[in-house]
Amino acid sequence: MVTAQVSQAPAISPLAIKERTGSISIAEIIAIMKGEITGLHIKHGFSVEVADEIAANFTRNPGLKEREDGVPGQYIGASHYRKHAATYFAEAQNARPFVDALFGNLVDPVRGLFDALRRELHNQGVELRLASSKHGQANICRAICWSGTGTYALEPHDDVAQVLCAGKEYDLAAVANNTVVALNFYPSMPEEGGNLRIWSHKPTATDRKSQGVETTGYPYSTAYLDAIPSHDFQLQAGDIALIDGGFIHGVTRQSGYGKHRLLLNCFFGFAQPDLVLWWT
Ligand SMILES: O=C(O)CCC(=O)C(=O)O
Ligand SMILES: [Fe+2]
């Protein structure tokens, strides 16, 4: 008897991409939350002066740490990735003064967006708040500089597996049933490289199992992604990008020397029809 090794080609999900210059609109953010847009790139979405100041505050920040969870990078703040709720919320609390120090006396553009979205959702009868538990509350963002040295500075991954597998002590686990939106502000970018690449594929639990990334969503192999079309966001300091974090995405390596690539990142989405949670 001959047994054939059947390997299913990854399903292609079309990308709905919008790129423009200007200020971000709340309607577009809500369109991503509802799955109507996959990726939104706002060029010059926040001021370059503010971007420069945040980048300087990152470099001199005493809370700067090396990641020790298998994802190469330096960061300020907390990541819930592969952590129990008690650990995550304790880390978030400890890091809060360092996250605040990123903004110094500036008007924080991430908090500005959070407040504007909260007002609009409130008008629609929806509450927006930071994820929390008896152990504490999430921060508004984390700052990260990826340091992978292969093809990717940050390997291809999805942001949903880590939410699906968050323990029941997390209120945010329910967001995995809806769109997990990743919000990215770029205070510093290299001249070349450091693109945010998104592939036309939204993996299912079966896909993750086949790739051995059931609980992490990280990393997908280049071979797995080979035949899948992708889109590169070419970013500059002062840009904002939002994506449906369920689609596989990664960050291309920066070429040459020059400025480092710095990201402010957070996640949000509907936990219930009348509740949106926000975390890092
Ligand atoms: O650095 C980026 O542009 C994307 C970051 C990202 O995908 C993540 O933090 O999960
Ligand atoms: Fe991501």
Side-chain angles (χ1 to χ4, degrees):
M1 196 175 87
V2 181
T3 47
Q5 187 82 37
V6 181
S7 79
Q8 195 100 38
I12 306 289
S13 299
L15 300 174
I17 303 286
K18 189 166 177 182
E19 296 191 81
R20 63 173 181 83
T21 303
S23 58
I24 192 158
S25 95
I26 298 300
E28 288 170 323
I29 298 175
I30 294 175
I32 297 192
M33 294 168 75
K34 293 186 172 167
E36 295 159 7
I37 302 178
T38 323
L40 173 66
H41 175 194
I42 304 291
K43 301 171 191 173
H44 310 306
F46 67 110
S47 114
V48 172
E49 289 76 24
V50 169
D52 283 347
E53 182 98 20
I54 295 169
N57 290 339
F58 178 82
T59 310
R60 59 174 166 239
N61 197 300
L64 188 56
K65 289 185 181 166
E66 198 68 40
R67 269 181 85 139
E68 283 167 358
D69 57 3
V71 186
Q74 288 99 37
Y75 72 99
I76 290 164
S79 302
H80 83 104
Y81 180 72
R82 293 176 56 193
K83 287 196 188 93
H84 291 294
T87 312
Y88 168 64
F89 287 111
E91 284 188 14
Q93 174 151 343
N94 292 337
R96 194 154 307 143
F98 302 117
V99 175
D100 289 344
L102 286 167
F103 304 104
N105 295 322
L106 299 168
V107 178
D108 167 355
V110 189
R111 190 167 290 277
L113 194 153
F114 177 86
D115 287 342
L117 181 60
R118 184 168 52 184
R119 274 195 302 275
E120 177 54 33
L121 289 173
H122 179 79
N123 290 339
Q124 300 184 13
V126 177
E127 183 192 0
L128 166 64
R129 63 167 174 81
L130 294 165
S132 66
S133 79
K134 62 179 183 207
H135 307 290
Q137 196 178 49
N139 293 325
I140 202 110
C141 69
R142 55 189 181 138
I144 313 180
C145 194
W146 305 116
S147 56
T149 51
T151 309
Y152 294 100
L154 172 64
E155 295 279 342
H157 66 281
D158 73 72
D159 299 329
V160 172
Q162 54 181 305
V163 179
L164 265 177
C165 298
K168 53 185 182 303
E169 282 203 55
Y170 276 107
D171 48 3
L172 57 88
V175 181
N177 303 320
N178 301 304
T179 304
V180 173
V181 182
L183 168 62
N184 305 309
F185 282 69
Y186 299 92
S188 173
M189 278 297 295
E191 287 282 309
E192 258 187 271
N195 295 348
L196 173 59
R197 181 168 295 169
I198 182 166
W199 281 268
S200 252
H201 177 52
K202 198 168 186 175
T204 60
T206 313
D207 293 326
R208 288 194 196 98
K209 205 165 183 177
S210 80
Q211 295 306 300
V213 298
E214 255 169 301
T215 58
T216 57
Y218 170 96
Y220 291 89
S221 68
T222 325
Y224 182 68
L225 298 170
D226 237 8
I228 306 174
S230 65
H231 175 84
D232 272 28
F233 294 101
Q234 293 189 11
L235 305 158
Q236 291 191 330
D239 288 4
I240 304 173
L242 286 94
I243 58 167
D244 175 339
F247 284 76
I248 297 182
H249 57 281
V251 176
T252 64
R253 197 176 50 175
Q254 82 179 64
S255 32
Y257 301 95
K259 289 195 176 177
H260 60 264
R261 183 187 193 277
L262 177 62
L263 157 83
L264 301 177
N265 160 272
C266 51
F267 302 106
F268 59 88
F270 281 99
Q272 296 161 34
D274 60 356
L275 176 65
V276 172
L277 293 176
W278 182 296
W279 71 95
T280 62

